[in-house]
Amino acid sequence: MFKKKHVAPEATFGETFAKGDIATKLSFFLMGVNALKHKQWVKGLSFLVTEIVYFVWLVLSGISALSMLSNLGKIKKKQVVFDKAQGIYLTKQPDNSVLILLFGILAILLTIGFIYLYYINLKSNRNLYVLDRDHKHIPTNMEELASLLNTRLHSTLMFLPILGILLFTVLPTIFMISMAFTNYDSHHSIGFSWTAFSAFGSVLSGDLAGTFFPVLGWTLIWAVAATVTTFFFGVLLALLIESKGIKHKNFWRTIFVITFAVPQFVSLLMMAQFLDLQGPLNSLLKMVGIHAIHFIDDQASPLVARITVIVVNMWIGVPVSMLTSTAIIQNLPQDQIEAAKIDGASAVQIFRYITFPQILFVMSPALIQQFIGNINNFNVIFLLTGGKPFNNNYNGAGSTDLLVTWLYKLVFGQQQRYNASAVLGILIFIISATVSLIAYRHTNAFKEG
């Protein structure tokens, strides 16, 4: 392998500043001046106006937002103080640490964005200097605008999506991560402070550890069971429907897909009613002389409730795997299967050594995605059992709660432990990312890709 030869820039920033004219030098301090000199009005004004707006914002509120980020506000609780000047007692409300944290993070992102824009300005300034020095054609204002719809079309199209990602993904994510290092809970709902890793200690070794590790174990068991069962039975169902001699195949596929087509929350709420102690299933059991079974209520056995949610999830998830498997089965090389039959291979052997491995090879990346989705499968647990049955040994969680549903309860329950919920969010991300990366690197699709 030959290394790429390093090509030095046509001019460094130092040379640009040292040898450039006054407009080139000013562009290091007033963005866009050099572009304005060469009549690139839109670019020059965009740089200059952005710099003016940024520094006006920085003076009016930016510096304050950044400085308050260090302590998230000085007043943490309501205070009654005596004002000597007026001779009366005044009530001071606590500083809103949520807004201080949010605007502080936004200030950091805006500053990083401005620094990046300043770097683009320096590159543009250097490019103009080189073109001027070498007596080459300098793009006009119209040519610069035309390039936004031609050579730089990707930048034009990506501007709004990137802005949206920054505002609605990056900012909330950093805000959530930041909360994990505070004491933001029901006792510090308005004014809270930085507490370093104390919330992590509470989850991993403190009062929540006795809940975190059992719930984590059940979450992983649930994710594996939910993924394996829906995949395996989906493949079997697809093979059954695709078997020779089965008539009206489209009809059977449609019947099974109806479950998937109905909104999930409707299906799950319907199943919750069906499995209720007074529901239709227990009514049928009573008619044949069998005692009613507690499937998903507070009196249910944790094992029964967990098996129930896995079975119900199969009812919802098998049709999806069936559809995907059907597409793969219809495109399997039939010559291999026919050759195996001629050699005397049974249907089970053909499935084990030919059909199943090829389906698994194609679907392994999707299975990893499905596994991660099951770790964060809020709907099935919340709508079907609500985490029931209640577990006295857990802190705010039930026997069927996953990490994500427990997180929800910590936020919207009586405790309102936002910092612990943020820690759980971070840990769920770490677990999901680690498992998916390790699993994907061990798939044949990755090794042979």
Side-chain angles (χ1 to χ4, degrees):
M1 296 289 294
F2 292 99
K3 290 184 178 180
K4 252 186 185 180
K5 186 178 178 182
H6 177 71
V7 180
E10 295 176 342
T12 64
F13 291 135
E15 178 189 340
T16 304
F17 183 80
K19 298 182 179 181
D21 58 16
I22 186 65
T24 303
K25 289 182 171 63
L26 279 175
S27 290
F28 280 81
F29 306 100
L30 295 174
M31 297 195 311
V33 170
N34 204 13
L36 291 173
K37 175 202 168 186
H38 292 92
K39 299 182 180 181
Q40 295 178 344
W41 307 115
V42 174
K43 179 193 286 187
L45 287 173
S46 299
F47 279 134
L48 187 58
V49 170
T50 302
E51 182 178 10
I52 293 172
V53 170
Y54 172 77
F55 279 105
V56 169
W57 164 82
L58 190 66
V59 171
L60 294 179
S61 62
I63 295 175
S64 174
L66 291 170
S67 63
M68 293 181 70
L69 193 60
S70 61
N71 56 14
L72 300 177
K74 295 180 180 180
I75 304 176
K76 303 299 181 182
K77 296 181 179 180
K78 184 187 295 185
Q79 297 178 357
V80 178
V81 296
F82 182 73
D83 189 337
K84 294 182 179 180
Q86 300 182 42
I88 57 174
Y89 285 94
L90 297 176
T91 301
K92 290 188 176 181
Q93 297 295 333
D95 294 325
N96 193 327
S97 298
V98 174
L99 293 180
I100 292 173
L101 179 59
L102 180 62
F103 287 123
I105 294 172
L106 182 59
I108 292 174
L109 292 177
L110 288 175
T111 300
I112 293 173
F114 176 76
I115 292 172
Y116 177 69
L117 189 64
Y118 177 73
Y119 174 70
I120 294 175
N121 164 71
L122 292 181
K123 288 179 64 177
S124 175
N125 188 38
R126 182 180 64 187
N127 183 53
L128 288 173
Y129 163 75
V130 170
L131 292 175
D132 196 26
R133 180 196 65 188
D134 298 342
H135 305 290
K136 293 182 179 179
H137 172 68
I138 296 176
T140 64
N141 184 59
M142 293 304 298
E143 288 172 339
E144 282 285 319
L145 290 175
S147 69
L148 294 175
L149 300 176
N150 189 7
T151 57
R152 288 186 291 173
L153 179 62
H154 60 284
S155 300
T156 306
L157 295 177
M158 288 298 292
F159 175 74
L160 287 178
I162 289 176
L163 183 62
I165 289 172
L166 288 173
L167 290 177
F168 302 110
T169 302
V170 176
L171 178 60
T173 301
I174 297 176
F175 180 75
M176 184 272 292
I177 293 173
S178 300
M179 285 196 301
F181 300 93
T182 69
N183 60 349
Y184 186 22
D185 56 23
S186 58
H187 301 292
H188 308 88
S189 58
I190 299 179
F192 52 85
S193 306
W194 296 110
T195 55
F197 291 93
S198 63
F200 285 86
S202 176
V203 172
L204 298 176
S205 61
D207 62 313
L208 296 178
T211 306
F212 171 72
F213 289 103
V215 172
L216 171 62
W218 159 238
T219 299
L220 295 177
I221 292 171
W222 150 263
V224 172
T227 304
V228 171
T229 52
T230 54
F231 168 67
F232 183 74
F233 287 102
V235 171
L236 288 183
L237 184 60
L239 286 171
L240 178 62
I241 294 176
E242 289 300 312
S243 299
K244 291 181 180 179
I246 299 295
K247 297 181 180 179
H248 311 297
K249 295 181 179 181
N250 290 334
F251 170 77
W252 293 116
R253 289 196 201 100
T254 303
I255 290 296
F256 287 106
V257 169
I258 287 175
T259 304
F260 175 66
V262 174
Q264 196 176 79
F265 79 94
V266 174
S267 300
L268 291 171
L269 291 177
M270 181 190 71
M271 286 301 298
Q273 294 295 320
F274 182 75
L275 296 170
D276 188 73
L277 185 63
Q278 305 299 328
L281 181 57
N282 275 314
S283 298
L284 291 173
L285 292 177
K286 291 177 182 178
M287 291 173 62
V288 296
I290 300 175
H291 290 292
I293 299 174
H294 295 276
F295 288 103
I296 55 174
D297 55 33
D298 272 327
Q299 299 180 36
S301 163
L303 180 61
V304 171
R306 289 175 175 180
I307 292 174
T308 301
V309 295
I310 292 173
V311 172
V312 172
N313 183 72
M314 286 172 53
W315 174 64
I316 294 174
V318 162
V320 183
S321 296
M322 180 204 69
L323 288 177
T324 307
S325 302
T326 299
I328 300 171
I329 291 169
Q330 290 176 347
N331 289 280
L332 287 176
Q334 295 300 316
D335 53 343
Q336 292 183 14
I337 298 175
E338 294 300 328
K341 289 180 179 178
I342 293 173
D343 290 339
S346 65
V348 175
Q349 290 174 320
I350 292 173
F351 172 75
R352 179 180 177 183
Y353 295 106
I354 298 177
T355 307
F356 186 75
Q358 294 194 49
I359 294 174
L360 187 61
F361 175 81
V362 176
M363 288 189 64
S364 53
L367 285 176
I368 295 170
Q369 182 181 2
Q370 187 177 346
F371 175 81
I372 302 304
N374 282 323
I375 289 179
N376 296 286
N377 197 331
F378 181 87
N379 289 348
V380 172
I381 302 299
F382 186 79
L383 295 175
L384 188 62
T385 69
K388 297 175 183 177
F390 182 77
N391 194 318
N392 292 321
N393 298 319
Y394 292 173
N395 188 335
S399 295
T400 57
D401 268 317
L402 306 179
L403 287 176
V404 65
T405 56
W406 182 37
L407 183 157
Y408 176 85
K409 289 181 178 180
L410 286 177
V411 173
F412 295 101
Q414 294 180 351
Q415 300 185 54
Q416 295 183 340
R417 298 181 67 165
Y418 303 103
N419 53 348
S421 302
V423 171
L424 285 178
I426 294 171
L427 294 176
I428 291 171
F429 169 76
I430 293 173
I431 293 168
S432 301
T434 303
V435 170
S436 60
L437 286 173
I438 293 174
Y440 183 68
R441 289 180 67 86
H442 284 80
T443 59
N444 290 326
F446 175 80
K447 293 177 181 178
E448 299 180 17

